[in-house]
Amino acid sequence: MASEVLWYVIPREGRYPWEPAGRRPVDLGYLQRLAGAVESLGFTGALLATDLYDVWALGSALCAATGPGFKPLLAVHPGLIAPTLLAKQALTFEHLFGGRLRFNVVNGSTRQLAQYGLHLEGDERYALSAEYWSLVKRLTAGEVFDHEGRFYRLTGAGSDLRELPPVQHPHIPLWFGGSSAAGIEMAAELVDVYLTWGEPVPQLREKLDRVRERAAAHGRTLRIGLRLHLIVRDTEEQAWAAADELLDATSEATYARRLGEAKDADGVGWQRQFRQHGGQVPARARELEVYPNLWPGMSLFRPGPGTAVVGSTAQVVERLQEFESLGVDTFILSGNPLLEEAYRVGETVLPALGIKR
């Protein structure tokens, strides 16, 4: 049985938010209602992903409108602000909102980070990330220390945070996904929850075996989380028809832009995902079914994780339970539009997974 199921919150959302016609206006009141629904339905929080809107402002606004059951997983890039300042922000958040914070460690891409003045290639990004997050862990655990490393030199780090003691112990949890050898090694040494995107079961099993092997080499065990979209309906036919609607609603310009971005992406996870559809837009969604009920078509029109489980409620539950059999104990789920699908999933899928309100 899954120990945690999170939902997803992003300001620009709707039936097909990658197109202006399918996007709701950004509205704080609506987003706070969404967060309240996530909490009341039995989800253990939500991923607040990197987007046009800053996750710290969004997370603060949502936590102010919810109770302790809404735990935000904030997507944060390493290196964009000093680790001591990030720890100060995080501990402030913890004291104001009662120990709810989790970090989603996002390494990003070379092109994306260059906009912020950070010029590092693939494995260098992981080297920076490992040093950065090891410092953040120590700082959010209440340590005071000096450090001299490859990227950072800190003197008396944490001394100004003594009156902001940790709320969570031993530190604010780190969640992270990386499919390259360097990413898996960093996860094995450093993080608490290893995240992966949806893939066919044989392929995913092989990757998770490697993750566990590397973690064991460091004397550690990791929780395993899986990020998936859901297109769940009363019947299989209705679910695939809903996937077809997404294909039909997407413009040629969006397809061209997304496929160009995906083809040039330097992340191994993106490359693994791209190979599932090869950059081909099918006439009908089910032509891309790569495993029973598993559809990588979302990556044709949205960035990041793009695999959906498509089917009836019973089929979706069966597939999630199959992923659980691989050792997945945490799911981060989403569906479009977010509010309506949170209710659908919360009232049908979660009870079947043993998640109670």
mmCIF file of all heavy atoms in Angstrom, residues 220-257:
data_model
loop_
_atom_site.group_PDB
_atom_site.id
_atom_site.type_symbol
_atom_site.label_atom_id
_atom_site.label_comp_id
_atom_site.label_asym_id
_atom_site.label_seq_id
_atom_site.Cartn_x
_atom_site.Cartn_y
_atom_site.Cartn_z
ATOM 1 N N ARG A 220 22.782 2.861 2.608
ATOM 2 C CA ARG A 220 21.530 3.598 2.738
ATOM 3 C C ARG A 220 20.399 2.865 2.032
ATOM 4 O O ARG A 220 20.631 2.033 1.151
ATOM 5 C CB ARG A 220 21.652 5.010 2.137
ATOM 6 C CG ARG A 220 22.815 5.821 2.682
ATOM 7 C CD ARG A 220 22.842 7.226 2.079
ATOM 8 N NE ARG A 220 21.724 8.018 2.568
ATOM 9 C CZ ARG A 220 20.838 8.633 1.801
ATOM 10 N NH1 ARG A 220 20.908 8.528 0.479
ATOM 11 N NH2 ARG A 220 19.875 9.346 2.326
ATOM 12 N N THR A 221 19.174 3.178 2.407
ATOM 13 C CA THR A 221 17.982 2.768 1.670
ATOM 14 C C THR A 221 17.181 4.013 1.345
ATOM 15 O O THR A 221 17.221 5.001 2.096
ATOM 16 C CB THR A 221 17.111 1.797 2.487
ATOM 17 O OG1 THR A 221 16.711 2.429 3.720
ATOM 18 C CG2 THR A 221 17.859 0.506 2.783
ATOM 19 N N LEU A 222 16.472 3.990 0.237
ATOM 20 C CA LEU A 222 15.697 5.135 -0.209
ATOM 21 C C LEU A 222 14.231 4.755 -0.373
ATOM 22 O O LEU A 222 13.915 3.634 -0.775
ATOM 23 C CB LEU A 222 16.209 5.641 -1.560
ATOM 24 C CG LEU A 222 17.664 6.092 -1.655
ATOM 25 C CD1 LEU A 222 17.987 6.483 -3.091
ATOM 26 C CD2 LEU A 222 17.929 7.245 -0.715
ATOM 27 N N ARG A 223 13.368 5.682 -0.065
ATOM 28 C CA ARG A 223 11.984 5.543 -0.501
ATOM 29 C C ARG A 223 11.929 5.825 -2.005
ATOM 30 O O ARG A 223 12.758 6.551 -2.543
ATOM 31 C CB ARG A 223 11.080 6.521 0.243
ATOM 32 C CG ARG A 223 10.838 6.154 1.698
ATOM 33 C CD ARG A 223 10.011 7.221 2.393
ATOM 34 N NE ARG A 223 8.797 7.513 1.654
ATOM 35 C CZ ARG A 223 8.058 8.619 1.823
ATOM 36 N NH1 ARG A 223 8.435 9.527 2.711
ATOM 37 N NH2 ARG A 223 6.966 8.814 1.115
ATOM 38 N N ILE A 224 10.920 5.252 -2.667
ATOM 39 C CA ILE A 224 10.786 5.404 -4.117
ATOM 40 C C ILE A 224 9.462 6.085 -4.430
ATOM 41 O O ILE A 224 8.394 5.639 -3.982
ATOM 42 C CB ILE A 224 10.835 4.038 -4.836
ATOM 43 C CG1 ILE A 224 12.128 3.290 -4.492
ATOM 44 C CG2 ILE A 224 10.696 4.239 -6.350
ATOM 45 C CD1 ILE A 224 13.388 3.940 -4.976
ATOM 46 N N GLY A 225 9.539 7.162 -5.196
ATOM 47 C CA GLY A 225 8.338 7.880 -5.620
ATOM 48 C C GLY A 225 8.206 7.875 -7.128
ATOM 49 O O GLY A 225 9.206 7.860 -7.858
ATOM 50 N N LEU A 226 6.967 7.919 -7.609
ATOM 51 C CA LEU A 226 6.684 7.860 -9.044
ATOM 52 C C LEU A 226 5.774 9.017 -9.429
ATOM 53 O O LEU A 226 4.725 9.224 -8.806
ATOM 54 C CB LEU A 226 6.025 6.532 -9.390
ATOM 55 C CG LEU A 226 5.727 6.235 -10.851
ATOM 56 C CD1 LEU A 226 7.009 6.239 -11.676
ATOM 57 C CD2 LEU A 226 5.020 4.885 -10.991
ATOM 58 N N ARG A 227 6.176 9.779 -10.436
ATOM 59 C CA ARG A 227 5.398 10.919 -10.938
ATOM 60 C C ARG A 227 4.626 10.501 -12.179
ATOM 61 O O ARG A 227 5.208 10.065 -13.172
ATOM 62 C CB ARG A 227 6.361 12.069 -11.263
ATOM 63 C CG ARG A 227 5.711 13.256 -11.962
ATOM 64 C CD ARG A 227 4.869 14.078 -11.015
ATOM 65 N NE ARG A 227 4.314 15.244 -11.718
ATOM 66 C CZ ARG A 227 3.094 15.281 -12.248
ATOM 67 N NH1 ARG A 227 2.287 14.232 -12.172
ATOM 68 N NH2 ARG A 227 2.673 16.379 -12.855
ATOM 69 N N LEU A 228 3.296 10.623 -12.122
ATOM 70 C CA LEU A 228 2.432 10.181 -13.215
ATOM 71 C C LEU A 228 1.259 11.134 -13.402
ATOM 72 O O LEU A 228 0.742 11.693 -12.431
ATOM 73 C CB LEU A 228 1.840 8.795 -12.910
ATOM 74 C CG LEU A 228 2.754 7.574 -12.953
ATOM 75 C CD1 LEU A 228 2.054 6.398 -12.292
ATOM 76 C CD2 LEU A 228 3.129 7.243 -14.401
ATOM 77 N N HIS A 229 0.828 11.269 -14.648
ATOM 78 C CA HIS A 229 -0.483 11.841 -14.941
ATOM 79 C C HIS A 229 -1.504 10.702 -14.961
ATOM 80 O O HIS A 229 -1.157 9.549 -15.270
ATOM 81 C CB HIS A 229 -0.487 12.525 -16.302
ATOM 82 C CG HIS A 229 0.457 13.677 -16.411
ATOM 83 N ND1 HIS A 229 0.144 14.939 -15.988
ATOM 84 C CD2 HIS A 229 1.720 13.748 -16.880
ATOM 85 C CE1 HIS A 229 1.163 15.746 -16.186
ATOM 86 N NE2 HIS A 229 2.143 15.040 -16.739
ATOM 87 N N LEU A 230 -2.741 11.031 -14.657
ATOM 88 C CA LEU A 230 -3.818 10.056 -14.771
ATOM 89 C C LEU A 230 -4.895 10.590 -15.699
ATOM 90 O O LEU A 230 -5.289 11.760 -15.602
ATOM 91 C CB LEU A 230 -4.448 9.756 -13.397
ATOM 92 C CG LEU A 230 -3.565 9.156 -12.302
ATOM 93 C CD1 LEU A 230 -4.421 8.807 -11.087
ATOM 94 C CD2 LEU A 230 -2.793 7.949 -12.799
ATOM 95 N N ILE A 231 -5.346 9.732 -16.592
ATOM 96 C CA ILE A 231 -6.561 9.995 -17.369
ATOM 97 C C ILE A 231 -7.487 8.834 -17.050
ATOM 98 O O ILE A 231 -7.405 7.759 -17.658
ATOM 99 C CB ILE A 231 -6.273 10.100 -18.878
ATOM 100 C CG1 ILE A 231 -5.247 11.211 -19.151
ATOM 101 C CG2 ILE A 231 -7.572 10.371 -19.641
ATOM 102 C CD1 ILE A 231 -4.850 11.356 -20.612
ATOM 103 N N VAL A 232 -8.303 9.018 -16.036
ATOM 104 C CA VAL A 232 -9.136 7.943 -15.511
ATOM 105 C C VAL A 232 -10.605 8.302 -15.721
ATOM 106 O O VAL A 232 -11.037 9.422 -15.446
ATOM 107 C CB VAL A 232 -8.825 7.686 -14.012
ATOM 108 C CG1 VAL A 232 -8.970 8.954 -13.177
ATOM 109 C CG2 VAL A 232 -9.689 6.584 -13.445
ATOM 110 N N ARG A 233 -11.351 7.336 -16.269
ATOM 111 C CA ARG A 233 -12.776 7.520 -16.517
ATOM 112 C C ARG A 233 -13.520 6.248 -16.121
ATOM 113 O O ARG A 233 -12.907 5.260 -15.721
ATOM 114 C CB ARG A 233 -13.024 7.833 -18.010
ATOM 115 C CG ARG A 233 -12.387 9.118 -18.509
ATOM 116 C CD ARG A 233 -13.005 10.354 -17.879
ATOM 117 N NE ARG A 233 -12.481 11.595 -18.450
ATOM 118 C CZ ARG A 233 -11.430 12.258 -17.973
ATOM 119 N NH1 ARG A 233 -10.769 11.777 -16.913
ATOM 120 N NH2 ARG A 233 -11.033 13.388 -18.537
ATOM 121 N N ASP A 234 -14.819 6.261 -16.257
ATOM 122 C CA ASP A 234 -15.611 5.089 -15.871
ATOM 123 C C ASP A 234 -15.272 3.879 -16.720
ATOM 124 O O ASP A 234 -15.286 2.738 -16.241
ATOM 125 C CB ASP A 234 -17.113 5.395 -15.970
ATOM 126 C CG ASP A 234 -17.560 6.417 -14.938
ATOM 127 O OD1 ASP A 234 -16.874 6.542 -13.895
ATOM 128 O OD2 ASP A 234 -18.577 7.091 -15.168
ATOM 129 N N THR A 235 -14.964 4.119 -18.002
ATOM 130 C CA THR A 235 -14.632 3.013 -18.895
ATOM 131 C C THR A 235 -13.311 3.302 -19.608
ATOM 132 O O THR A 235 -12.874 4.465 -19.722
ATOM 133 C CB THR A 235 -15.712 2.800 -19.964
ATOM 134 O OG1 THR A 235 -15.714 3.918 -20.874
ATOM 135 C CG2 THR A 235 -17.094 2.651 -19.328
ATOM 136 N N GLU A 236 -12.684 2.233 -20.101
ATOM 137 C CA GLU A 236 -11.441 2.369 -20.860
ATOM 138 C C GLU A 236 -11.651 3.210 -22.107
ATOM 139 O O GLU A 236 -10.810 4.057 -22.460
ATOM 140 C CB GLU A 236 -10.935 0.972 -21.216
ATOM 141 C CG GLU A 236 -9.625 0.951 -21.960
ATOM 142 C CD GLU A 236 -9.183 -0.469 -22.270
ATOM 143 O OE1 GLU A 236 -10.053 -1.364 -22.373
ATOM 144 O OE2 GLU A 236 -7.964 -0.685 -22.422
ATOM 145 N N GLU A 237 -12.767 2.998 -22.782
ATOM 146 C CA GLU A 237 -13.052 3.726 -24.026
ATOM 147 C C GLU A 237 -13.148 5.232 -23.757
ATOM 148 O O GLU A 237 -12.629 6.051 -24.528
ATOM 149 C CB GLU A 237 -14.354 3.214 -24.655
ATOM 150 C CG GLU A 237 -14.284 1.799 -25.199
ATOM 151 C CD GLU A 237 -14.286 0.741 -24.091
ATOM 152 O OE1 GLU A 237 -14.739 1.052 -22.957
ATOM 153 O OE2 GLU A 237 -13.818 -0.384 -24.350
ATOM 154 N N GLN A 238 -13.810 5.600 -22.658
ATOM 155 C CA GLN A 238 -13.930 7.019 -22.329
ATOM 156 C C GLN A 238 -12.569 7.636 -22.003
ATOM 157 O O GLN A 238 -12.297 8.780 -22.352
ATOM 158 C CB GLN A 238 -14.872 7.185 -21.138
ATOM 159 C CG GLN A 238 -16.329 6.892 -21.439
ATOM 160 C CD GLN A 238 -17.178 6.838 -20.177
ATOM 161 O OE1 GLN A 238 -16.665 6.713 -19.065
ATOM 162 N NE2 GLN A 238 -18.493 6.926 -20.345
ATOM 163 N N ALA A 239 -11.710 6.866 -21.359
ATOM 164 C CA ALA A 239 -10.385 7.384 -20.990
ATOM 165 C C ALA A 239 -9.545 7.655 -22.234
ATOM 166 O O ALA A 239 -8.910 8.717 -22.347
ATOM 167 C CB ALA A 239 -9.686 6.395 -20.070
ATOM 168 N N TRP A 240 -9.526 6.706 -23.179
ATOM 169 C CA TRP A 240 -8.733 6.925 -24.385
ATOM 170 C C TRP A 240 -9.347 8.020 -25.252
ATOM 171 O O TRP A 240 -8.611 8.764 -25.929
ATOM 172 C CB TRP A 240 -8.582 5.625 -25.173
ATOM 173 C CG TRP A 240 -7.587 4.708 -24.543
ATOM 174 C CD1 TRP A 240 -7.837 3.551 -23.850
ATOM 175 C CD2 TRP A 240 -6.165 4.878 -24.502
ATOM 176 N NE1 TRP A 240 -6.667 2.995 -23.385
ATOM 177 C CE2 TRP A 240 -5.625 3.783 -23.772
ATOM 178 C CE3 TRP A 240 -5.291 5.841 -25.007
ATOM 179 C CZ2 TRP A 240 -4.253 3.639 -23.546
ATOM 180 C CZ3 TRP A 240 -3.928 5.697 -24.789
ATOM 181 C CH2 TRP A 240 -3.429 4.609 -24.064
ATOM 182 N N ALA A 241 -10.666 8.171 -25.218
ATOM 183 C CA ALA A 241 -11.295 9.281 -25.933
ATOM 184 C C ALA A 241 -10.863 10.617 -25.336
ATOM 185 O O ALA A 241 -10.643 11.601 -26.062
ATOM 186 C CB ALA A 241 -12.812 9.150 -25.878
ATOM 187 N N ALA A 242 -10.691 10.671 -24.012
ATOM 188 C CA ALA A 242 -10.212 11.895 -23.368
ATOM 189 C C ALA A 242 -8.771 12.198 -23.774
ATOM 190 O O ALA A 242 -8.395 13.365 -23.973
ATOM 191 C CB ALA A 242 -10.325 11.756 -21.854
ATOM 192 N N ALA A 243 -7.946 11.161 -23.915
ATOM 193 C CA ALA A 243 -6.579 11.368 -24.400
ATOM 194 C C ALA A 243 -6.587 11.872 -25.841
ATOM 195 O O ALA A 243 -5.792 12.753 -26.212
ATOM 196 C CB ALA A 243 -5.787 10.067 -24.285
ATOM 197 N N ASP A 244 -7.482 11.327 -26.662
ATOM 198 C CA ASP A 244 -7.612 11.809 -28.038
ATOM 199 C C ASP A 244 -7.973 13.292 -28.081
ATOM 200 O O ASP A 244 -7.479 14.048 -28.924
ATOM 201 C CB ASP A 244 -8.691 11.009 -28.779
ATOM 202 C CG ASP A 244 -8.244 9.607 -29.147
ATOM 203 O OD1 ASP A 244 -7.022 9.364 -29.225
ATOM 204 O OD2 ASP A 244 -9.128 8.748 -29.359
ATOM 205 N N GLU A 245 -8.830 13.719 -27.156
ATOM 206 C CA GLU A 245 -9.232 15.127 -27.116
ATOM 207 C C GLU A 245 -8.043 16.040 -26.858
ATOM 208 O O GLU A 245 -7.963 17.144 -27.400
ATOM 209 C CB GLU A 245 -10.306 15.328 -26.046
ATOM 210 C CG GLU A 245 -11.652 14.707 -26.395
ATOM 211 C CD GLU A 245 -12.641 14.777 -25.242
ATOM 212 O OE1 GLU A 245 -12.313 15.422 -24.211
ATOM 213 O OE2 GLU A 245 -13.735 14.202 -25.351
ATOM 214 N N LEU A 246 -7.110 15.585 -26.029
ATOM 215 C CA LEU A 246 -5.915 16.383 -25.766
ATOM 216 C C LEU A 246 -5.058 16.512 -27.023
ATOM 217 O O LEU A 246 -4.534 17.589 -27.326
ATOM 218 C CB LEU A 246 -5.097 15.761 -24.643
ATOM 219 C CG LEU A 246 -5.768 15.683 -23.267
ATOM 220 C CD1 LEU A 246 -4.817 15.048 -22.262
ATOM 221 C CD2 LEU A 246 -6.218 17.048 -22.796
ATOM 222 N N LEU A 247 -4.916 15.408 -27.763
ATOM 223 C CA LEU A 247 -4.167 15.466 -29.023
ATOM 224 C C LEU A 247 -4.827 16.434 -29.995
ATOM 225 O O LEU A 247 -4.155 17.247 -30.646
ATOM 226 C CB LEU A 247 -4.097 14.072 -29.653
ATOM 227 C CG LEU A 247 -3.190 13.035 -29.007
ATOM 228 C CD1 LEU A 247 -3.314 11.714 -29.753
ATOM 229 C CD2 LEU A 247 -1.731 13.487 -28.991
ATOM 230 N N ASP A 248 -6.144 16.346 -30.110
ATOM 231 C CA ASP A 248 -6.869 17.178 -31.072
ATOM 232 C C ASP A 248 -6.847 18.654 -30.697
ATOM 233 O O ASP A 248 -6.890 19.527 -31.571
ATOM 234 C CB ASP A 248 -8.320 16.701 -31.184
ATOM 235 C CG ASP A 248 -8.435 15.295 -31.771
ATOM 236 O OD1 ASP A 248 -7.467 14.855 -32.417
ATOM 237 O OD2 ASP A 248 -9.472 14.639 -31.555
ATOM 238 N N ALA A 249 -6.775 18.954 -29.385
ATOM 239 C CA ALA A 249 -6.815 20.345 -28.933
ATOM 240 C C ALA A 249 -5.458 21.036 -29.047
ATOM 241 O O ALA A 249 -5.373 22.258 -28.916
ATOM 242 C CB ALA A 249 -7.290 20.408 -27.487
ATOM 243 N N THR A 250 -4.408 20.279 -29.300
ATOM 244 C CA THR A 250 -3.057 20.832 -29.318
ATOM 245 C C THR A 250 -2.691 21.334 -30.709
ATOM 246 O O THR A 250 -2.911 20.640 -31.707
ATOM 247 C CB THR A 250 -2.051 19.766 -28.852
ATOM 248 O OG1 THR A 250 -2.416 19.332 -27.539
ATOM 249 C CG2 THR A 250 -0.642 20.320 -28.816
ATOM 250 N N SER A 251 -2.129 22.528 -30.774
ATOM 251 C CA SER A 251 -1.805 23.147 -32.060
ATOM 252 C C SER A 251 -0.518 22.574 -32.643
ATOM 253 O O SER A 251 0.336 22.050 -31.922
ATOM 254 C CB SER A 251 -1.655 24.659 -31.880
ATOM 255 O OG SER A 251 -0.504 24.951 -31.107
ATOM 256 N N GLU A 252 -0.382 22.708 -33.949
ATOM 257 C CA GLU A 252 0.843 22.276 -34.616
ATOM 258 C C GLU A 252 2.048 23.044 -34.087
ATOM 259 O O GLU A 252 3.153 22.493 -33.959
ATOM 260 C CB GLU A 252 0.708 22.471 -36.131
ATOM 261 C CG GLU A 252 -0.317 21.572 -36.796
ATOM 262 C CD GLU A 252 0.026 20.092 -36.631
ATOM 263 O OE1 GLU A 252 1.234 19.758 -36.670
ATOM 264 O OE2 GLU A 252 -0.896 19.282 -36.469
ATOM 265 N N ALA A 253 1.855 24.326 -33.758
ATOM 266 C CA ALA A 253 2.954 25.130 -33.237
ATOM 267 C C ALA A 253 3.443 24.587 -31.896
ATOM 268 O O ALA A 253 4.653 24.551 -31.633
ATOM 269 C CB ALA A 253 2.512 26.587 -33.089
ATOM 270 N N THR A 254 2.509 24.149 -31.047
ATOM 271 C CA THR A 254 2.896 23.585 -29.755
ATOM 272 C C THR A 254 3.659 22.283 -29.941
ATOM 273 O O THR A 254 4.690 22.052 -29.293
ATOM 274 C CB THR A 254 1.659 23.359 -28.874
ATOM 275 O OG1 THR A 254 1.065 24.630 -28.584
ATOM 276 C CG2 THR A 254 2.021 22.672 -27.570
ATOM 277 N N TYR A 255 3.153 21.426 -30.817
ATOM 278 C CA TYR A 255 3.873 20.174 -31.090
ATOM 279 C C TYR A 255 5.291 20.451 -31.570
ATOM 280 O O TYR A 255 6.269 19.851 -31.091
ATOM 281 C CB TYR A 255 3.137 19.361 -32.152
ATOM 282 C CG TYR A 255 1.921 18.618 -31.659
ATOM 283 C CD1 TYR A 255 0.698 18.747 -32.318
ATOM 284 C CD2 TYR A 255 1.993 17.770 -30.559
ATOM 285 C CE1 TYR A 255 -0.419 18.063 -31.886
ATOM 286 C CE2 TYR A 255 0.880 17.085 -30.118
ATOM 287 C CZ TYR A 255 -0.327 17.225 -30.782
ATOM 288 O OH TYR A 255 -1.429 16.545 -30.350
ATOM 289 N N ALA A 256 5.441 21.379 -32.504
ATOM 290 C CA ALA A 256 6.762 21.668 -33.064
ATOM 291 C C ALA A 256 7.697 22.219 -31.985
ATOM 292 O O ALA A 256 8.868 21.827 -31.910
ATOM 293 C CB ALA A 256 6.632 22.661 -34.216
ATOM 294 N N ARG A 257 7.184 23.106 -31.166
ATOM 295 C CA ARG A 257 8.019 23.695 -30.114
ATOM 296 C C ARG A 257 8.448 22.645 -29.097
ATOM 297 O O ARG A 257 9.620 22.543 -28.745
ATOM 298 C CB ARG A 257 7.248 24.813 -29.413
ATOM 299 C CG ARG A 257 8.070 25.530 -28.329
ATOM 300 C CD ARG A 257 7.286 26.649 -27.670
ATOM 301 N NE ARG A 257 6.156 26.166 -26.881
ATOM 302 C CZ ARG A 257 4.887 26.256 -27.243
ATOM 303 N NH1 ARG A 257 4.560 26.817 -28.406
ATOM 304 N NH2 ARG A 257 3.920 25.799 -26.477
#
